Amino acid sequence: CSRWEEEKKEDGIKWMQLEHRGPYFVPPYEPLPKDVQFYYDGKPLKLSLATEEIATFYAKMLDHEYTTKEIFQNNFFHDWRKEMTSEEQEIIKDLDKCDFGEIHKYFVDKNEARKALPKEEKQKLKEEADKIQEEYGYCILDGHREKIGNFKTEPPGLFRGRGEHPKMGMLKKRIMPEDVIINCSKDSKIPEPPEGHKWKEVRFDNTVTWLASWTENIQNTLKYIMLNPSSKLKGEKDWQKYEVARRLKDVVHTIRAQYRKDWKSKEIKKRQRAVALYFIDKLALRAGNEKEEGETADTVGCCSLRVEHIQLHPQLEGQEHVVEFDFLGKDSIRYYNKVSVEKPVFKNLQLFMKNKDPSDDLFEHLNTTFLNKHLQDLMDGLTAKVFRTYNASITLQEQLKALTNPEDNVAGKLLSYNRANRAVAILCNHQRSIPKTFARSMQVLQEKIDAKKKQVEEAQEEVKKAEDEFKDTKDAKAEVNVEKKKKLLKRLEEQLSRMNIQATDKEENKQIALGTSKLNYLDPRITVAWCKKFGIPIEKIYNKTQREKFAWAIDMAGEDFEF
């Protein structure tokens, strides 16, 4: 049997044996050389070690747009001042008077120097990193040597957050062994903490799969060291996730009939649940958990939508019953969409919004616990998230069927694949900001295309000349020459077509993040089957890491796999 289908353990038990070295801690701070100075109000100022370290975090980010944002600057300055000595606090009172320029230049130069190292130096550095990876990057789990995902603690620095996160710029503190809980098996060799330190706790909990954990200081959330996605444990979990989504396929029609019926329910609670479920199903919205007041960014999901997040339009842009959504979703990413909904949904929303303030909950009788309990009753293992996985995967499969032209060359087929993937990313609202280098790299590509067009035109002239010559001389040598010139022309035309496809792809993709759905929402067997069916090398779609993560699917799926 393959390693994906080994013996099953009792429910809830994740391993019998777990042994590892504990996390690898980031090396301590190295002070700046004497000649690299910080200036305050134009005068050099020697900083204490802790203050200097935090100054370097800001200095390194000077060329990043984060440091231009007021909220980032304020959070940084507030946290930085907390760590200063009382003398420093007396002097440093205004961020605008701080000059980090010299420190910034020092790190830029250091970076350039590292890039310019001779090959053997680079090789030496790589060998050192590999040694650490060998020592800390693997664990023994039930007799298998498994790769660990993130075996290093995160280095201290300034919090960035995604979207417009209100805590950006805050100080992410250094993780110490005293912060860390170790999890391993009782009879294993328990990891040693670094010299002079001790662990916060060592526990032997085989109902969880993490190896170590700590609480990070900004969001107060738990961080874990987990196995690498390519490990057997993660692979099984991934596979099961898609199997649950495939089970939804068989009952989704019943569920849809049920929530349609519930739109007319006598109980308002049921109506709200049914409208929310329609959004989760049709728009792939996230469920949206309840959150503690003031602890994080004001982001919402379906259940936590407020009246101010939607607008109703009986008619808009030639469509009827349009709901206009505008809210910040997970990671403070804005969700903006105008959707024509079914009439009973529209009527219900009007009812739910009646006599309410903008800041009132849209579904005040609904929370995720109530919703997920209902979903569990409809199908074992069903949660709101399964709808996202199901709708993403089914969309990819249908789009691939609709868009792939078997006659296309590999580049053309890959464009179709990326378009299908884009349809999913748009459904899931996976956006990115336009990359900083986008305009420049697009311009470079356009210049290449223009140059190639010129070559094609010249080659066309050459073919014509050769044909005329052959007409005049009827000579065998001239005939060979015609063929040669035609071949060249054909090759150049293919190159031009590839470049044009690349430009189309790049332009369509500039604001869309494909990675999230590819890694988390799309059953990899759909992609593997498509590649096998159309003779596309799998590495054109999945890089090495992704191929390792999806090894189970590459093993399992034949070309006729149907999600």
Side-chain angles (χ1 to χ4, degrees):
C1 76
S2 83
R3 72 177 190 136
W4 307 111
E5 298 165 78
E6 260 177 34
E7 79 303 332
K8 288 279 163 269
K9 296 181 185 59
E10 285 168 57
D11 260 4
I13 303 286
K14 304 290 204 290
W15 45 262
M16 303 313 270
Q17 176 211 14
L18 176 61
E19 187 173 302
H20 57 94
R21 282 290 312 258
Y24 177 79
F25 290 91
V26 190
Y29 173 64
E30 284 181 28
L32 292 169
K34 296 263 184 292
D35 58 341
V36 176
Q37 290 186 312
F38 167 77
Y39 295 86
Y40 188 75
D41 213 0
K43 293 189 265 310
L45 177 62
K46 182 86 189 107
L47 301 173
S48 67
L49 212 55
T51 308
E52 178 186 279
E53 179 180 12
I54 299 164
T56 64
F57 299 155
Y58 193 82
K60 284 177 185 170
M61 289 180 71
L62 279 189
D63 50 9
H64 210 291
E65 68 162 338
Y66 273 112
T67 49
T68 62
K69 294 183 178 180
E70 200 176 325
I71 183 158
F72 189 93
Q73 295 172 356
N74 293 344
N75 284 337
F76 159 72
F77 198 59
H78 174 264
D79 278 7
W80 188 32
R81 278 184 53 88
K82 276 199 301 209
E83 306 295 320
M84 291 176 186
T85 63
S86 47
E87 296 87 59
E88 287 168 334
Q89 285 174 342
E90 277 307 300
I91 305 171
I92 302 175
K93 294 195 165 168
D94 183 356
L95 182 60
D96 288 337
K97 292 183 178 170
C98 297
D99 177 0
F100 302 93
E102 238 176 63
I103 307 178
H104 175 71
K105 185 177 181 315
Y106 167 73
F107 283 107
V108 170
D109 293 347
K110 201 170 153 174
N111 234 344
E112 292 303 318
R114 205 174 56 232
K115 281 187 201 154
L117 280 177
K119 215 173 176 175
E120 44 279 4
E121 290 289 318
K122 279 189 180 157
Q123 188 54 34
K124 227 160 72 190
L125 288 175
K126 187 181 179 310
E127 279 161 19
E128 282 165 28
D130 289 348
K131 214 172 109 191
I132 296 171
Q133 165 90 39
E134 273 303 308
E135 197 176 331
Y136 289 89
Y138 291 89
C139 67
I140 305 289
L141 183 118
D142 294 341
H144 294 276
R145 185 170 183 258
E146 296 278 16
K147 204 169 173 184
I148 299 170
N150 50 333
F151 60 92
K152 297 180 175 176
T153 58
E154 287 182 28
L158 304 180
F159 179 69
R160 303 185 177 197
R162 300 204 197 155
E164 294 299 319
H165 203 288
K167 294 189 171 186
M168 64 167 79
M170 285 169 82
L171 176 63
K172 215 166 74 175
K173 297 212 161 105
R174 182 178 288 270
I175 307 296
M176 302 304 275
E178 286 71 14
D179 302 316
V180 175
I181 299 170
I182 294 288
N183 190 30
C184 59
S185 49
K186 258 204 177 80
D187 50 4
S188 70
K189 201 171 150 258
I190 289 166
E192 295 280 322
E195 200 141 327
H197 290 280
K198 52 182 193 296
W199 302 123
K200 181 176 178 179
E201 186 194 327
V202 176
R203 60 173 76 158
F204 314 107
D205 180 355
N206 65 359
T207 65
V208 296
T209 60
W210 52 266
L211 287 61
S213 89
W214 60 88
T215 304
E216 56 88 33
N217 65 295
I218 289 181
Q219 312 264 50
N220 254 323
T221 52
L222 281 164
K223 291 271 185 187
Y224 298 99
I225 287 186
M226 298 275 202
L227 288 180
N228 181 285
S230 67
S231 63
K232 175 170 178 257
L233 202 80
K234 289 285 191 194
E236 278 175 356
K237 211 175 148 196
D238 211 31
W239 172 24
Q240 274 151 9
K241 172 174 88 179
Y242 294 112
E243 287 304 301
V244 172
R246 287 176 83 191
R247 289 209 324 268
L248 174 57
K249 196 177 70 173
D250 301 327
V251 295
V252 75
H253 304 297
T254 330
I255 293 174
R256 286 171 180 162
Q258 177 66 50
Y259 69 57
R260 286 195 147 71
K261 211 169 82 196
D262 284 347
W263 290 340
K264 301 191 269 297
S265 168
K266 298 238 186 331
E267 292 174 66
I268 184 98
K269 194 172 179 171
K270 273 194 178 166
R271 285 194 182 204
Q272 291 193 350
R273 186 179 69 193
V275 170
L277 196 45
Y278 170 76
F279 286 162
I280 285 168
D281 181 21
K282 187 174 157 70
L283 304 173
L285 296 188
R286 291 186 182 85
N289 290 309
E290 302 71 57
K291 292 201 303 218
E292 301 297 309
E293 272 304 303
E295 68 162 62
T296 45
D298 173 30
T299 60
V300 298
C302 187
C303 293
S304 44
L305 282 170
R306 297 191 294 270
V307 172
E308 63 198 299
H309 294 135
I310 68 169
Q311 275 187 317
L312 301 181
H313 307 279
Q315 312 242 249
L316 185 71
E317 294 160 5
Q319 288 184 303
E320 291 200 314
H321 309 125
V322 175
V323 183
E324 183 176 357
F325 293 85
D326 195 351
F327 61 89
L328 289 183
K330 182 179 170 191
D331 292 331
S332 303
I333 301 287
R334 180 179 178 206
Y335 182 87
Y336 181 77
N337 202 356
K338 291 186 271 210
V339 195
S340 167
V341 300
E342 297 182 38
K343 193 173 174 181
V345 173
F346 195 80
K347 291 270 183 258
N348 270 315
L349 288 169
Q350 286 175 317
L351 176 71
F352 303 159
M353 289 167 80
K354 216 166 156 177
N355 303 328
K356 281 190 192 171
D357 290 333
S359 61
D360 288 342
D361 284 340
L362 180 63
F363 303 122
E364 74 279 16
H365 296 291
L366 187 60
N367 60 39
T368 41
T369 320
F370 174 66
L371 177 70
N372 278 331
K373 175 157 184 348
H374 171 63
L375 292 176
Q376 176 63 35
D377 293 341
L378 293 171
M379 180 192 110
D380 184 36
L382 185 57
T383 62
K385 187 181 176 179
V386 180
F387 276 94
R388 257 172 100 74
T389 309
Y390 163 76
N391 279 314
S393 289
I394 211 86
T395 301
L396 180 73
Q397 183 166 282
E398 286 167 355
Q399 290 288 319
L400 284 176
K401 273 188 187 146
L403 297 173
T404 313
N405 174 3
E407 306 302 303
D408 274 350
N409 60 12
V410 171
K413 285 181 185 143
L414 284 170
L415 177 64
S416 300
Y417 181 88
N418 282 346
R419 283 183 166 158
N421 193 346
R422 272 196 282 282
V424 174
I426 290 166
L427 172 78
C428 292
N429 197 40
H430 292 149
Q431 309 176 11
R432 58 173 183 173
S433 41
I434 298 181
K436 277 205 279 254
T437 54
F438 180 79
R440 180 78 195 104
S441 69
M442 202 60 178
Q443 186 189 342
V444 169
L445 185 56
Q446 198 47 58
E447 284 162 7
K448 281 186 183 163
I449 288 176
D450 294 341
K452 189 64 68 184
K453 273 187 187 153
K454 241 179 134 152
Q455 284 181 303
V456 168
E457 282 164 17
E458 284 163 10
Q460 282 166 337
E461 290 292 310
E462 291 283 318
V463 169
K464 203 173 164 324
K465 255 180 19 207
E467 281 176 340
D468 289 347
E469 192 181 330
F470 175 58
K471 250 192 221 136
D472 292 346
T473 61
K474 293 274 185 287
D475 164 32
K477 210 163 150 192
E479 188 174 13
V480 171
N481 190 34
V482 169
E483 284 315 306
K484 205 169 95 190
K485 297 286 189 212
K486 276 188 175 164
K487 246 194 196 138
L488 176 68
L489 175 62
K490 188 166 180 250
R491 203 174 75 227
L492 289 170
E493 283 175 338
E494 275 169 11
Q495 288 170 345
L496 178 62
S497 131
R498 267 209 304 276
M499 281 179 181
N500 278 323
I501 288 176
Q502 200 189 344
T504 309
D505 205 18
K506 217 177 163 79
E507 177 60 46
E508 288 178 8
N509 214 31
K510 65 180 174 193
Q511 275 178 293
I512 295 169
L514 296 182
T516 316
S517 55
K518 206 183 220 174
L519 279 179
N520 303 310
Y521 291 106
L522 296 173
D523 187 331
R525 290 170 295 184
I526 300 169
T527 299
V528 173
W530 181 83
C531 284
K532 287 181 179 171
K533 187 172 174 181
F534 292 107
I536 307 286
I538 196 105
E539 46 281 1
K540 293 270 185 212
I541 291 178
Y542 291 141
N543 64 28
K544 184 167 177 279
T545 317
Q546 292 164 339
R547 292 198 298 277
E548 283 171 6
K549 173 175 170 145
F550 296 140
W552 60 270
I554 295 170
D555 258 1
M556 268 182 207
E559 62 172 70
D560 13 359
F561 170 81
E562 282 278 331
F563 177 73

